[in-house]
Amino acid sequence: RLPITVSRGIEQLFRSPGRFHGARDLSDATGTTTRGLYRHMAAVGMPSVKALVVSARLVRAYGYLRDPGRSVKEIAARVGYHRPWLLTKQMREYTGLVPSDVRRALTPEQFLTLLTTRVRTEQRDEEEDP
């Protein structure tokens, strides 16, 4: 239901989240205006661009966390965070856990369940705001 250019841009986001910092970067990748991007996403019930960017970064970070040899600082830089504490903050905000706990305790299914629950909650909150 999304235009193919928007779908491809979202695929790029999840493949290389460090390249995307917000709506402007995603709209550039999709070949649409920022306003058009928001309109397309709203039409299909997708979360906000911010939630999509954060989710892409956290999914990629989770993959790197599965490698015990990688530090949180290195992972943060690889997924687009300029400061490691921001990865920790957003990981806690979206999953309720810090990266070290995510690394130690969550299976991929558990991680994705926590993440999608948070994104859906955020989406509902945005829809209910007057």
Side-chain angles (χ1 to χ4, degrees):
R1 296 186 298 179
L2 282 172
I4 191 73
T5 57
V6 175
S7 295
R8 286 186 180 146
I10 292 170
E11 286 176 23
Q12 287 176 22
L13 167 65
F14 276 84
R15 285 191 180 123
S16 302
R19 290 184 30 224
F20 295 83
H21 299 285
R24 180 167 300 203
D25 293 331
L26 187 55
S27 67
D28 289 347
T30 64
T32 63
T33 64
T34 303
R35 187 175 178 172
L37 175 64
Y38 278 103
R39 207 175 17 245
H40 289 303
M41 290 179 61
V44 296
M46 290 187 75
S48 70
V49 173
K50 177 187 175 195
L52 203 58
V53 170
V54 171
S55 296
R57 287 180 175 185
L58 295 180
V59 166
R60 183 63 62 178
Y62 177 80
Y64 291 134
L65 284 168
R66 307 276 296 156
D67 177 357
R70 293 186 189 261
S71 70
V72 172
K73 182 177 180 179
E74 174 193 354
I75 293 167
R78 289 194 75 143
V79 299
Y81 292 105
H82 296 292
R83 294 182 172 77
W85 65 265
L86 189 51
L87 169 60
T88 299
K89 177 182 181 260
Q90 288 186 333
M91 186 70 77
R92 185 182 304 126
E93 183 180 322
Y94 277 68
T95 67
L97 301 167
V98 296
S100 59
D101 291 338
V102 167
R103 171 181 272 162
R104 186 175 11 83
L106 293 182
T107 65
E109 294 79 15
Q110 291 169 324
F111 173 77
L112 289 175
T113 297
L114 287 172
L115 185 61
T116 56
T117 299
R118 172 62 172 90
V119 169
R120 286 183 184 143
T121 300
E122 181 174 306
Q123 185 176 0
R124 269 195 311 275
D125 290 347
E126 287 179 4
E127 291 170 355
E128 292 172 1
D129 282 342

